[in-house]
Amino acid sequence: MDALLAEVRACNACAAHLPLGPRPVVQASAGARLLIVGQAPSMTVHATGRPWDDRSGEQLRRWLGVERDLFYDASRIAIMPMGYCYPGRGTSGDLPPRRECAALWHERLLAQMKHIELTLLVGQYAQRHFLGDARKGGVTETVAAFAEYAPRFMPLPHPSPRNTGWFKHHPWFEREVLPVLRARVRQALAAGQGAAPKGGAA
Ligand code: SF4
């Protein structure tokens, strides 16, 4: 895994399209139990080089009921966005994740993570890639049908502050989905540990 991660971090396959240049932001280990597949690093994350090290990440950690130490423990949690480098800005926010990463790296990384108990699909790009035709009409409908994708996957909306309106209009997410999410995350992280993790579900 170390050699593969070194290869990923040296990738410059689509450098010509990246306004800030390549800086792949991935966290992985062969023993990880929980995999989080997001969209692409924000400009803040590009600067720090740490996945979800921004306001979206604060919200995501609250949803999961995990603290920073556990979230950044690569031996237990893997984090692989759909696009590994910051893609730049478009007219209505950040551009979509680069497509090259999935083709170049996803399968190779996944092949080395044989103990993943649960994969969180955060946002439309991850859901489209991993669920394919099993997706419902859009993110809202797919998240509402989350039980259908158990035990392997759990689809989630993007926790970006830009989605505050969505959270207000869909209170069932906080009320019905988050308790299940926390329980499933806790269960996945406890696998192989012999006990529930410290800093686990809130
Ligand atoms: S976005 Fe993906 S394919 Fe492009 S340089 Fe970064 S890691 Fe390589």
Side-chain angles (χ1 to χ4, degrees):
M1 178 60 97
D2 287 350
L4 177 56
L5 285 173
E7 262 190 83
V8 170
R9 289 184 179 122
C11 180
N12 64 0
C14 64
H17 302 285
L18 302 173
L20 302 183
R23 188 176 194 187
V25 181
V26 176
Q27 169 176 310
S29 77
R33 302 286 171 160
L34 176 69
L35 171 63
I36 302 170
V37 184
Q39 194 156 306
S42 63
M43 200 187 293
T44 306
V45 168
H46 173 87
T48 68
R50 283 198 119 185
W52 295 102
D53 194 11
D54 54 12
R55 288 179 62 204
S56 296
E58 287 170 20
Q59 174 83 304
L60 180 63
R61 285 184 284 277
R62 184 183 74 78
W63 286 359
L64 306 187
V66 302
E67 295 168 4
R68 283 181 72 90
D69 283 356
L70 176 56
F71 190 82
Y72 290 115
D73 182 350
S75 71
R76 302 178 68 191
I77 299 183
I79 303 175
M80 180 183 83
M82 287 304 298
Y84 300 178
C85 299
Y86 171 66
R89 276 189 81 74
T91 48
S92 58
D94 287 350
L95 290 170
R98 297 298 309 178
R99 291 171 178 269
E100 292 87 342
C101 303
L104 284 171
W105 302 115
H106 272 22
E107 290 309 318
R108 291 182 67 191
L109 280 167
L110 290 171
Q112 297 219 16
M113 294 190 279
K114 298 186 188 307
H115 302 287
I116 298 296
E117 302 270 338
L118 173 64
T119 298
L120 306 181
L121 304 173
V122 185
Q124 60 167 315
Y125 298 101
Q127 289 162 23
R128 194 175 297 154
H129 182 83
F130 284 87
L131 300 179
D133 291 343
R135 285 169 70 232
K136 309 299 175 185
V139 170
T140 302
E141 295 80 5
T142 305
V143 172
F146 69 94
E148 290 184 29
Y149 307 109
R152 189 171 170 204
F153 295 117
M154 182 128 186
L156 297 171
H158 199 284
S160 166
R162 293 169 65 95
N163 284 344
T164 301
W166 189 94
F167 304 125
K168 274 199 186 130
H169 285 103
H170 302 90
W172 51 265
F173 175 72
E174 183 97 20
R175 190 177 60 237
E176 294 166 28
V177 181
L178 289 191
V180 177
L181 172 66
R182 288 178 186 140
R184 291 184 62 193
V185 165
R186 188 176 174 82
Q187 187 178 25
L189 292 174
Q193 295 282 309
K198 267 165 98 185

